[in-house]
C-alpha cells in the first residue's frame, strides 16, 4: 500500500504576521520577541531598547473604585459570602485596588494555649538594644525525676573509698558465696569438711582471749579510706585510766552501725592514741560466728559475741594482772529494735527499759561510758513507721521470732546518688562521754541499778545538748528516749 500524506485538520496560519493579525497565540518562544514595524518583521535582538525609569511603578492601573457599601450577603463566583461580625475583626487592611485583608480575633482556648506555651518558654534576655529569645532547654525535668549518675572523672581516692565501703557492706554475702563456690569443687572437700566441724564447736567468739585478733588488719590503711568516705571522726570528752574496766554504750544503732565499726573495730580514727592502754572489743550477734569465712574475718578484727558469757570473759581476762584491767567492750545498746527508728535528722533511743548492760557493768566492776554518734541515722533512708504501720508491725514480729529484723532502707549506689545500698557521704562524729564510776556488786541492787541508769541517761543528754548545734544543725527534733 502506498502511503498517502494527510493534510492537517483546521490548518492555521504559521507566520507570526498572520497569527498576530488574527489574534492567535504564538507557536514558539522565539515568536514573542519579534515585532511588526512599518510592515516588516523586526527582532528585538537586532537593536537594544533603552528604558528610562522614574523610580516608581508607572504602569497603567485601573481607576480606584469605591468598595461595595450595600448591606446583605454577596455572591462571589456563585458562592454566598457571609457577613463578618465587626466585633470579631482584629485587623482590617485595604489595598489600592480595593482588595480586603481581614484578621479575626482568636477564640479563648487558643489564647490559653499560647499562655501555657509562654510559661514553659524561658524569658527573653535583653542587651545592647537586642532581644534574644531561647527555645526549650534540653534535658529539663531530669533533675527532678531522673537518677543522678556519678561523673566519670571521679578522683581515684574517692573510688577507693567507695570500694572499701562496698566491701564492708557486702562482705557477708560475698564470703558466703565464695564458700559455696569452693564447695562445688571436690578438690576442696577434704579441707572444707573439717572446717565446718570446727565452726560448729568453736568458742572463739565467746572465750574472751582475743587470740585471733590481728593488729595488722585493724591498723591497715584500707580502713582510713573507709573512715574518710563519710568522713568519720572520734572525739574524747576526758581521758580514761588504763587501770579500770569499761563498758562503752554506743548510740544510736542506725542501720549498719558504720560509726561503731570505724571507731572501735579499726584504728582508722585513732582509738589507741586517744585512749592509750585500753583494749576495746566491738560486740556483735553470736550467730555471726557461725558464718563460714566471715567469722574468721570478724575474729581477726577483734570482734566478739554479745552474749553474757562473752562479755564476762572479756572483762575478767587479760590486762596486767589477768583480771581484765584495761579491757573495754562496746555494746550497741538499742540493737535491732532501735534500727527501725533510724530516721534522718532525728534521734530516738531505745533505752528506758534497757538495763542489762548496766547490770553487767555492776557485776564486772566496769565503768559506764556513754557514746553518741552524730550522723549515724543520716546514712540511710528507710520506710517510716507512721506512714506504713503494717510493715512496721511485721518487722517487730520478725524481731521477736528471730532476734533480728530487716529494715527496708535505701541510700545511694556505686555509680549513682539516688538508688542503692551504699551509705550517703554524711559526716559521722562519734563523741565519747565521761566515765561513770561503778562499784562492783555480785548481785546488783535495784535502787543502785536505777541510779546508774539515770546517770547514764543524763550523760547522754549532756553530750546531746553540748554538741547538737555543732554536729546536728539540720535536726528536726530533740533527743528522745523510748521503751
Amino acid at each position: 500500500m502506498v502511503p498517502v500524506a494527510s493534510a492537517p485538520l483546521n490548518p492555521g496560519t504559521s507566520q507570526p504576521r498572520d497569527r498576530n493579525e488574527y489574534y492567535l497565540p504564538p507557536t514558539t518562544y522565539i515568536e514573542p520577541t519579534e515585532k511588526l514595524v512599518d510592515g516588516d518583521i523586526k527582532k528585538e535582538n537586532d537593536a537594544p531598547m533603552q528604558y528610562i525609569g522614574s523610580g516608581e511603578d508607572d504602569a497603567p492601573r485601573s481607576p480606584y473604585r469605591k468598595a461595595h457599601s450595600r448591606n446583605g450577603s454577596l455572591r462571589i463566583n456563585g458562592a454566598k459570602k457571609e457577613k463578618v461580625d465587626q466585633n470579631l475583626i482584629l485587623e482590617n487592611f485595604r489595598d489600592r485596588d480595593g482588595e480586603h485583608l481581614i484578621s479575626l480575633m482568636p477564640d479563648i482556648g487558643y489564647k490559653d494555649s499560647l499562655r501555657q506555651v509562654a510559661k514553659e518558654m524561658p524569658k527573653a534576655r535583653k542587651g545592647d538594644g537586642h532581644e534574644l529569645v531561647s527555645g526549650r532547654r534540653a534535658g529539663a525535668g531530669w533533675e527532678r525525676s531522673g537518677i543522678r549518675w556519678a561523673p566519670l572523672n571521679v578522683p581515684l581516692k574517692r573510688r577507693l573509698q567507695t570500694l572499701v565501703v562496698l566491701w564492708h557492706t557486702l562482705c557477708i554475702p560475698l564470703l558466703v558465696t565464695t564458700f559455696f563456690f569452693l564447695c562445688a569443687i571436690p578438690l576442696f572437700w577434704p579441707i572444707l569438711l573439717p572446717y565446718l566441724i570446727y565452726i560448729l564447736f568453736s568458742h572463739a567468739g565467746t572465750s574472751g582471749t582475743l587470740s585471733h585478733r590481728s593488729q595488722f588488719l585493724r591498723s591497715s590503711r584500707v580502713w582510713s579510706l573507709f573512715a574518710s568516705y563519710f568522713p568519720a571522726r572520734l572525739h574524747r570528752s576526758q581521758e580514761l585510766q588504763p587501770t579500770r574496766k569499761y563498758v562503752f554504750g554506743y548510740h544510736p544503732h542506725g542501720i549498719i552501725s558504720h560509726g561503731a565499726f570505724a571507731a572501735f573495730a579499726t584504728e582508722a580514727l585513732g582509738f589507741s592514741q586517744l585512749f592509750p592502754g585500753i583494749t576495746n572489743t566491738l560486740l556483735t550477734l553470736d550467730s555471726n560466728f557461725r558464718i563460714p569465712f566471715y567469722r574468721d574475718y570478724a575474729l581477726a578484727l577483734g570482734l566478739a559475741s554479745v552474749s553474757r558469757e562473752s562479755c564476762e570473759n572479756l572483762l575478767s581476762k587479760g590486762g596486767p594482772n589477768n583480771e581484765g584491767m584495761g579491757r573495754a567492750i562496746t555494746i550497741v545498746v538499742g540493737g535491732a529494735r532501735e534500727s527501725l527508728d533510724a530516721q534522718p535528722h532525728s534521734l530516738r533511743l531505745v533505752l528506758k527499759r534497757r538495763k542489762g548492760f548496766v547490770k553487767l557493768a555492776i557485776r564486772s566492776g566496769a565503768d559506764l561510758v556513754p557514746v553518741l554518734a552524730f550522723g549515724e541515722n543520716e546514712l540511710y533512708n528507710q520506710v517510716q513507721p507512721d506512714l506504713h504501720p503494717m510493715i512496721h508491725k511485721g518487722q517487730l514480729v520478725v524481731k521477736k521470732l528471730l532476734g533480728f529484723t530487716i529494715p527496708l532502707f535505701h541510700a545511694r549506689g556505686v555509680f549513682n546518688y539516688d538508688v542503692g545500698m551504699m551509705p550517703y557521704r554524711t559526716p559521722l562524729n562519734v563523741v565519747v562521754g565521761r566515765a561513770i564510776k561503778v562499784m562492783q556488786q555480785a548481785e546488783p541492787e535495784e535502787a543502785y541499778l536505777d541510779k546508774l541508769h539515770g546517770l547514764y541517761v543524763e550523760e547522754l543528754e549532756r553530750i546531746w545538748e553540748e554538741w547538737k548545734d555543732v554536729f546536728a544543725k539540720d535536726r528536726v527534733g530533740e533527743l528522745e528516749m523510748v521503751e
Side-chain angles (χ1 to χ4, degrees), residues 115-252:
R115 294 191 187 99
Q116 182 66 25
V117 173
K119 291 180 180 179
E120 299 178 356
M121 297 294 291
K123 296 182 179 180
R125 301 179 180 177
K126 298 182 180 180
D128 300 335
H130 300 282
E131 185 177 275
L132 180 65
V133 180
S134 304
R136 179 181 298 173
R137 182 168 60 89
W142 283 90
E143 296 84 354
R144 299 188 301 271
S145 59
I147 297 176
R148 298 172 299 165
W149 296 96
L152 297 178
N153 57 343
V154 176
L156 178 61
K157 180 179 179 181
R158 292 178 66 89
R159 292 185 183 274
L160 294 176
Q161 292 171 349
T162 303
L163 180 62
V164 176
V165 175
L166 179 64
W167 158 255
H168 175 66
T169 305
L170 301 178
C171 61
I172 294 180
L174 290 177
L175 291 175
V176 172
T177 302
T178 303
F179 172 78
F180 284 107
F181 175 77
L182 296 178
C183 288
I185 304 175
L187 182 63
F188 292 97
W189 289 357
I191 302 175
L192 296 178
L193 183 59
Y195 175 72
L196 289 176
I197 298 175
Y198 168 74
I199 290 177
L200 294 177
F201 295 97
S202 174
H203 299 283
T206 59
S207 63
T209 58
L210 301 179
S211 59
H212 296 73
R213 187 185 181 106
S214 172
Q215 191 63 26
F216 173 78
L217 180 60
R218 289 173 56 90
S219 303
S220 175
R221 297 183 61 184
V222 171
W223 305 122
S224 178
L225 293 172
F226 175 85
S228 60
Y229 171 90
F230 303 100
R233 295 290 302 274
L234 181 63
H235 308 274
R236 180 189 68 187
S237 297
Q238 70 174 26
E239 296 183 3
L240 300 180
Q241 299 176 3
T243 57
R244 299 283 299 178
K245 308 173 186 179
Y246 300 96
V247 174
F248 286 69
Y250 184 86
H251 308 271

Side-chain angles (χ1 to χ4, degrees), residues 379-433:
L379 299 181
Y380 295 93
N381 291 322
Q382 71 165 318
V383 175
Q384 298 183 10
D386 53 345
L387 299 180
H388 304 275
M390 298 303 297
I391 296 178
H392 185 67
K393 291 180 180 178
Q395 292 173 326
L396 294 178
V397 172
V398 174
K399 167 64 175 61
K400 185 176 182 180
L401 296 177
L402 303 179
F404 66 91
T405 186
I406 303 176
L408 300 180
F409 66 93
H410 73 90
R412 55 161 293 174
V414 179
F415 302 108
N416 70 85
Y417 301 118
D418 301 289
V419 180
M421 297 179 61
M422 292 284 292
Y424 292 118
R425 288 181 178 266
T426 303
L428 265 174
N429 291 277
V430 183
V431 180
V432 179

